Short mmCIF file of all heavy atoms in Angstrom, two decimals:
data_model
loop_
_atom_site.label_atom_id
_atom_site.label_comp_id
_atom_site.label_asym_id
_atom_site.label_seq_id
_atom_site.Cartn_x
_atom_site.Cartn_y
_atom_site.Cartn_z
N ALA A 1 124.24 -128.69 -30.28
CA ALA A 1 124.02 -127.36 -29.70
C ALA A 1 125.31 -126.55 -29.72
O ALA A 1 125.29 -125.33 -29.99
CB ALA A 1 123.50 -127.49 -28.27
N MET A 2 126.44 -127.20 -29.44
CA MET A 2 127.72 -126.51 -29.50
C MET A 2 128.03 -126.05 -30.91
O MET A 2 128.52 -124.92 -31.14
CB MET A 2 128.83 -127.43 -28.99
CG MET A 2 130.21 -126.79 -28.92
SD MET A 2 131.17 -126.96 -30.46
CE MET A 2 131.68 -128.66 -30.37
N LEU A 3 127.75 -126.89 -31.91
CA LEU A 3 128.00 -126.53 -33.30
C LEU A 3 127.07 -125.40 -33.76
O LEU A 3 127.48 -124.54 -34.55
CB LEU A 3 127.82 -127.76 -34.19
CG LEU A 3 128.88 -128.85 -34.01
CD1 LEU A 3 128.53 -130.09 -34.84
CD2 LEU A 3 130.26 -128.34 -34.41
N ILE A 4 125.82 -125.40 -33.30
CA ILE A 4 124.91 -124.31 -33.62
C ILE A 4 125.46 -122.99 -33.09
O ILE A 4 125.43 -121.96 -33.76
CB ILE A 4 123.51 -124.58 -33.05
CG1 ILE A 4 122.85 -125.75 -33.80
CG2 ILE A 4 122.64 -123.34 -33.15
CD1 ILE A 4 121.52 -126.16 -33.22
N SER A 5 125.98 -123.03 -31.86
CA SER A 5 126.58 -121.84 -31.29
C SER A 5 127.81 -121.40 -32.08
O SER A 5 128.00 -120.20 -32.33
CB SER A 5 126.98 -122.11 -29.83
OG SER A 5 127.69 -121.02 -29.28
N ARG A 6 128.61 -122.36 -32.50
CA ARG A 6 129.86 -122.04 -33.19
C ARG A 6 129.63 -121.45 -34.57
O ARG A 6 130.30 -120.49 -34.97
CB ARG A 6 130.73 -123.30 -33.28
CG ARG A 6 132.01 -123.13 -34.10
CD ARG A 6 132.91 -124.34 -33.95
NE ARG A 6 133.38 -124.48 -32.58
CZ ARG A 6 134.17 -125.46 -32.17
NH1 ARG A 6 134.57 -126.41 -33.03
NH2 ARG A 6 134.57 -125.52 -30.91
N TYR A 7 128.68 -122.00 -35.32
CA TYR A 7 128.52 -121.62 -36.72
C TYR A 7 127.33 -120.70 -37.00
O TYR A 7 127.28 -120.05 -38.05
CB TYR A 7 128.41 -122.86 -37.60
CG TYR A 7 129.69 -123.67 -37.60
CD1 TYR A 7 129.74 -124.91 -36.97
CD2 TYR A 7 130.84 -123.20 -38.23
CE1 TYR A 7 130.91 -125.66 -36.97
CE2 TYR A 7 132.00 -123.94 -38.23
CZ TYR A 7 132.04 -125.17 -37.60
OH TYR A 7 133.20 -125.90 -37.59
N LEU A 8 126.37 -120.66 -36.08
CA LEU A 8 125.16 -119.86 -36.34
C LEU A 8 124.94 -118.74 -35.34
O LEU A 8 124.36 -117.71 -35.68
CB LEU A 8 123.93 -120.77 -36.35
CG LEU A 8 123.92 -121.88 -37.39
CD1 LEU A 8 122.67 -122.74 -37.22
CD2 LEU A 8 123.98 -121.31 -38.80
N LEU A 9 125.37 -118.93 -34.09
CA LEU A 9 125.07 -117.95 -33.04
C LEU A 9 126.31 -117.30 -32.46
O LEU A 9 126.24 -116.70 -31.38
CB LEU A 9 124.28 -118.64 -31.91
CG LEU A 9 122.97 -119.32 -32.29
CD1 LEU A 9 122.36 -120.01 -31.07
CD2 LEU A 9 122.00 -118.33 -32.88
N ARG A 10 127.43 -117.40 -33.14
CA ARG A 10 128.70 -116.94 -32.58
C ARG A 10 128.63 -115.47 -32.15
O ARG A 10 129.01 -115.12 -31.02
CB ARG A 10 129.82 -117.13 -33.60
CG ARG A 10 131.16 -116.55 -33.18
CD ARG A 10 132.24 -116.86 -34.19
NE ARG A 10 132.57 -118.27 -34.19
CZ ARG A 10 133.48 -118.81 -33.37
NH1 ARG A 10 134.12 -118.05 -32.51
NH2 ARG A 10 133.74 -120.09 -33.44
N ASP A 11 128.18 -114.60 -33.02
CA ASP A 11 128.15 -113.16 -32.70
C ASP A 11 127.23 -112.87 -31.53
O ASP A 11 127.57 -112.08 -30.64
CB ASP A 11 127.72 -112.35 -33.93
CG ASP A 11 128.72 -112.45 -35.07
OD1 ASP A 11 129.90 -112.75 -34.78
OD2 ASP A 11 128.33 -112.24 -36.23
N TRP A 12 126.06 -113.50 -31.51
CA TRP A 12 125.10 -113.27 -30.42
C TRP A 12 125.65 -113.75 -29.09
O TRP A 12 125.55 -113.06 -28.07
CB TRP A 12 123.78 -113.96 -30.74
CG TRP A 12 122.77 -113.80 -29.64
CD1 TRP A 12 121.96 -112.73 -29.41
CD2 TRP A 12 122.47 -114.76 -28.61
NE1 TRP A 12 121.17 -112.95 -28.31
CE2 TRP A 12 121.45 -114.18 -27.79
CE3 TRP A 12 122.94 -116.04 -28.30
CZ2 TRP A 12 120.93 -114.84 -26.69
CZ3 TRP A 12 122.42 -116.69 -27.20
CH2 TRP A 12 121.42 -116.10 -26.41
N VAL A 13 126.23 -114.95 -29.08
CA VAL A 13 126.80 -115.50 -27.83
C VAL A 13 127.94 -114.62 -27.34
O VAL A 13 128.06 -114.35 -26.14
CB VAL A 13 127.28 -116.95 -28.05
CG1 VAL A 13 128.02 -117.46 -26.82
CG2 VAL A 13 126.11 -117.86 -28.38
N GLN A 14 128.77 -114.16 -28.26
CA GLN A 14 129.90 -113.31 -27.88
C GLN A 14 129.42 -112.02 -27.23
O GLN A 14 129.99 -111.56 -26.23
CB GLN A 14 130.76 -113.01 -29.11
CG GLN A 14 132.03 -112.23 -28.80
CD GLN A 14 132.98 -113.01 -27.93
OE1 GLN A 14 133.40 -114.10 -28.27
NE2 GLN A 14 133.32 -112.45 -26.77
N ARG A 15 128.36 -111.42 -27.78
CA ARG A 15 127.84 -110.17 -27.22
C ARG A 15 127.12 -110.42 -25.89
O ARG A 15 127.29 -109.65 -24.94
CB ARG A 15 126.87 -109.51 -28.20
CG ARG A 15 127.51 -108.93 -29.45
CD ARG A 15 126.53 -108.01 -30.18
NE ARG A 15 125.28 -108.70 -30.48
CZ ARG A 15 125.05 -109.34 -31.62
NH1 ARG A 15 125.98 -109.40 -32.56
NH2 ARG A 15 123.89 -109.93 -31.83
N ARG A 16 126.33 -111.48 -25.85
CA ARG A 16 125.49 -111.74 -24.68
C ARG A 16 126.28 -112.24 -23.48
O ARG A 16 125.97 -111.91 -22.32
CB ARG A 16 124.41 -112.76 -25.06
CG ARG A 16 123.45 -113.12 -23.95
CD ARG A 16 122.59 -111.92 -23.56
NE ARG A 16 121.61 -112.28 -22.57
CZ ARG A 16 121.86 -112.40 -21.26
NH1 ARG A 16 123.06 -112.14 -20.80
NH2 ARG A 16 120.91 -112.73 -20.41
N PHE A 17 127.31 -113.03 -23.70
CA PHE A 17 128.04 -113.66 -22.60
C PHE A 17 129.53 -113.33 -22.66
O PHE A 17 130.37 -114.20 -22.44
CB PHE A 17 127.84 -115.18 -22.64
CG PHE A 17 126.41 -115.62 -22.64
CD1 PHE A 17 125.80 -116.08 -23.80
CD2 PHE A 17 125.65 -115.55 -21.48
CE1 PHE A 17 124.47 -116.49 -23.81
CE2 PHE A 17 124.32 -115.96 -21.48
CZ PHE A 17 123.72 -116.42 -22.64
N SER A 18 129.86 -112.10 -22.97
CA SER A 18 131.27 -111.73 -23.17
C SER A 18 132.10 -111.95 -21.91
O SER A 18 133.24 -112.44 -21.98
CB SER A 18 131.36 -110.26 -23.62
OG SER A 18 130.75 -109.40 -22.67
N ARG A 19 131.56 -111.60 -20.74
CA ARG A 19 132.32 -111.77 -19.50
C ARG A 19 132.54 -113.24 -19.19
O ARG A 19 133.63 -113.65 -18.77
CB ARG A 19 131.61 -111.09 -18.35
CG ARG A 19 131.56 -109.56 -18.47
CD ARG A 19 130.93 -108.94 -17.24
NE ARG A 19 130.91 -107.48 -17.35
CZ ARG A 19 130.40 -106.67 -16.40
NH1 ARG A 19 129.89 -107.21 -15.29
NH2 ARG A 19 130.42 -105.37 -16.57
N MET A 20 131.51 -114.04 -19.35
CA MET A 20 131.66 -115.48 -19.11
C MET A 20 132.64 -116.09 -20.09
O MET A 20 133.40 -117.01 -19.75
CB MET A 20 130.29 -116.17 -19.21
CG MET A 20 129.31 -115.77 -18.13
SD MET A 20 127.75 -116.68 -18.26
CE MET A 20 126.83 -115.94 -16.92
N MET A 21 132.62 -115.61 -21.34
CA MET A 21 133.53 -116.16 -22.34
C MET A 21 134.98 -115.91 -21.97
O MET A 21 135.85 -116.74 -22.24
CB MET A 21 133.25 -115.53 -23.72
CG MET A 21 132.14 -116.21 -24.51
SD MET A 21 132.37 -118.01 -24.70
CE MET A 21 134.05 -118.12 -25.29
N GLU A 22 135.27 -114.81 -21.33
CA GLU A 22 136.63 -114.54 -20.88
C GLU A 22 137.08 -115.60 -19.89
O GLU A 22 138.22 -116.10 -19.97
CB GLU A 22 136.71 -113.15 -20.26
CG GLU A 22 136.48 -112.00 -21.24
CD GLU A 22 136.52 -110.65 -20.56
OE1 GLU A 22 136.78 -110.62 -19.34
OE2 GLU A 22 136.31 -109.63 -21.24
N LYS A 23 136.20 -115.96 -18.96
CA LYS A 23 136.54 -116.98 -17.98
C LYS A 23 136.71 -118.35 -18.64
O LYS A 23 137.62 -119.11 -18.31
CB LYS A 23 135.46 -117.06 -16.90
CG LYS A 23 135.29 -115.78 -16.10
CD LYS A 23 134.19 -115.93 -15.07
CE LYS A 23 134.01 -114.64 -14.27
NZ LYS A 23 132.91 -114.75 -13.27
N VAL A 24 135.81 -118.67 -19.57
CA VAL A 24 135.88 -119.97 -20.24
C VAL A 24 137.14 -120.07 -21.09
O VAL A 24 137.84 -121.09 -21.06
CB VAL A 24 134.62 -120.19 -21.11
CG1 VAL A 24 134.80 -121.42 -22.01
CG2 VAL A 24 133.39 -120.36 -20.22
N ASN A 25 137.44 -119.03 -21.83
CA ASN A 25 138.66 -119.05 -22.66
C ASN A 25 139.91 -119.21 -21.80
O ASN A 25 140.83 -119.95 -22.14
CB ASN A 25 138.76 -117.77 -23.49
CG ASN A 25 137.80 -117.77 -24.66
OD1 ASN A 25 137.50 -118.81 -25.23
ND2 ASN A 25 137.30 -116.59 -25.01
N LEU A 26 139.92 -118.53 -20.67
CA LEU A 26 141.06 -118.65 -19.75
C LEU A 26 141.15 -120.07 -19.20
O LEU A 26 142.24 -120.64 -19.10
CB LEU A 26 140.91 -117.64 -18.61
CG LEU A 26 142.03 -117.63 -17.56
CD1 LEU A 26 143.37 -117.29 -18.22
CD2 LEU A 26 141.71 -116.65 -16.44
#
């Protein structure tokens, strides 16, 4: 599931969960 997100859904996840991604990256 992580690999699917990384290679197939990257753009969608980035748009949909941009605020959460900031917290996770930090």
Side-chain angles (χ1 to χ4, degrees):
M2 184 271 284
L3 292 174
I4 291 175
S5 174
R6 174 171 295 179
Y7 295 109
L8 300 176
L9 303 177
R10 174 176 290 273
D11 295 338
W12 178 81
V13 173
Q14 185 64 58
R15 290 194 305 268
R16 180 66 176 80
F17 305 105
S18 58
R19 293 184 179 180
M20 294 182 182
M21 275 307 310
E22 293 178 2
K23 297 179 181 179
V24 170
N25 285 327
L26 180 61

